[in-house]
Amino acid sequence: MGKVRIVTDSTADIPLEVREKLGISMVPLKVLFGEETYLDGVTIQNEEFYAKLVASPVLPTTSQPSPSEFSEMYERLLAEDPEGPIISLHLSAALSGTYQSAVIAQSMLEEAGDITIVDSKSASYGFGMRAIRAAEMAQAGESKEAILAELQRLESEMQIYFLVDSLEYLQKGGRIGKASALIGSILNIKPILSLEPDGTVYPVDKVRGTKKAMARVLELLKQRFDAQEPVSMTIAWSSGQETAMELCEYLKSHFNIQKIGFTTIGAVIGTHTGPGLSAVFMYKV
């Protein structure tokens, strides 16, 4: 039995240097600005994307990888090591057809390798952190079964909150009505979003002002994590990291954080939430 290989997609928002260090393979989603198509994290990087997003008169759209893009990745990995199991972990099937593309790709393969495709029921580092943990275990020679069990544990442990700076992009993308967005802007409403167990996005709360939003996130995290128990935390942002860093410092004094990470929110998630997003991902170590 060969070493387990980890495949994910660009919405896991794992920095390139981390993917390279841990040998994580990534299949990119696409971002379309009118006639221009970009591969998320490959032909467009986050900084360039957010600059274009703010300047663009039309909202970009996103699309999932095709099954053939996944099958090419699987075939390449199986050619390298036919005995090595593959775990392919992807963006919530409730949010995208990416998982389904991977499933179709598996059925298209002429030589059936040992491939397990997992619906993360999550987004961004909500499953990026899991892919990293899986890759660390794979490098340590852990079995496919042990890695899948750990992914299952982390799915139930992971707590995620997104602080959205403005309702404008949720409105542009058809997630909320125009009137709600207008009123929200006037009242300085900061929505706090999270993910249901089935992987759909839901609004946890709407709070006036960033400070109150941070206090509410702390309150919510305290309901899940004891101040003494060791936790891993990653802080993420779309563009402009000031609020994210403030959130990080605020939370650090309230939890026993054993591991801390930072990343940026990529183009696909950013299309729907806009440039002023901050997020926290936390689980018990």
Side-chain angles (χ1 to χ4, degrees):
M1 181 66 75
K3 192 181 86 169
V4 177
R5 275 79 55 80
I6 306 300
V7 175
T8 190
D9 61 72
S10 59
T11 64
D13 292 333
I14 303 170
L16 175 62
E17 62 273 16
V18 177
R19 293 201 312 269
E20 287 179 341
K21 180 184 163 200
L22 294 172
I24 298 169
S25 300
M26 184 273 278
V27 178
L29 276 75
K30 298 175 187 72
V31 180
L32 297 84
F33 281 93
E35 299 298 305
E36 298 174 309
T37 301
Y38 298 92
L39 297 176
D40 180 22
V42 179
T43 59
I44 191 166
Q45 300 305 321
N46 294 350
E47 205 170 304
E48 184 191 350
F49 166 74
Y50 287 109
K52 279 181 82 71
L53 179 66
V54 172
S56 176
V58 291
L59 191 71
T61 56
T62 58
S63 69
Q64 69 224 33
S66 66
S68 63
E69 288 167 290
F70 277 112
S71 63
E72 283 165 20
M73 174 70 78
Y74 298 149
E75 280 166 352
R76 181 173 63 75
L77 292 172
L78 291 169
E80 288 170 8
D81 180 5
E83 299 301 310
I86 295 169
I87 297 174
S88 201
L89 177 69
H90 298 291
L91 175 63
S92 168
L95 301 176
S96 167
T98 302
Y99 166 78
Q100 199 55 44
S101 273
V103 171
I104 294 166
Q106 184 181 19
S107 70
M108 287 163 51
L109 295 176
E110 288 178 23
E111 298 293 322
D114 181 354
I115 304 173
T116 306
I117 300 168
V118 181
D119 173 7
S120 73
K121 298 186 174 66
S122 192
S124 187
Y125 236 52
F127 74 100
M129 282 171 96
R130 280 185 249 162
I132 288 168
R133 179 78 187 105
E136 288 169 347
M137 291 176 73
Q139 280 198 342
E142 298 267 10
S143 69
K144 178 185 81 170
E145 290 72 24
I147 294 170
L148 289 171
E150 177 69 351
L151 289 176
Q152 194 70 44
R153 179 188 79 82
L154 291 177
E155 183 183 322
S156 60
E157 288 280 347
M158 183 76 67
Q159 207 56 36
I160 304 168
Y161 293 106
F162 296 97
L163 277 73
V164 182
D165 189 49
S166 161
L167 295 166
E168 178 189 352
Y169 290 86
L170 291 168
Q171 186 265 313
K172 278 184 181 175
R175 299 297 194 274
I176 59 166
K178 210 167 227 174
S180 298
L182 180 65
I183 292 165
S185 302
I186 293 165
L187 297 177
N188 191 24
I189 296 293
K190 305 293 177 193
I192 300 168
L193 308 177
S194 191
L195 292 154
E196 296 278 17
D198 68 355
T200 53
V201 177
Y202 76 100
V204 179
D205 209 343
K206 286 190 285 193
V207 186
R208 286 186 68 173
T210 304
K211 293 274 193 294
K212 283 184 179 171
M214 289 183 189
R216 181 70 177 117
V217 166
L218 172 63
E219 194 182 311
L220 291 161
L221 288 170
K222 277 183 168 177
Q223 290 170 14
R224 281 295 301 270
F225 302 103
D226 183 87
Q228 305 310 313
E229 65 187 353
V231 295
S232 173
M233 178 177 83
T234 294
I235 296 289
W237 60 90
S238 52
S239 65
Q241 63 190 77
E242 296 80 8
T243 302
M245 290 300 112
E246 206 179 317
L247 177 66
C248 177
E249 290 307 313
Y250 184 60
L251 296 176
K252 266 163 67 175
S253 58
H254 292 276
F255 296 101
N256 178 13
I257 298 166
Q258 295 295 300
K259 285 171 73 178
I260 189 159
F262 302 94
T263 193
T264 52
I265 303 282
V268 171
I269 304 294
T271 292
H272 303 290
T273 55
L277 180 71
S278 300
V280 56
F281 307 88
M282 190 178 281
Y283 67 87
K284 203 159 37 172
V285 175

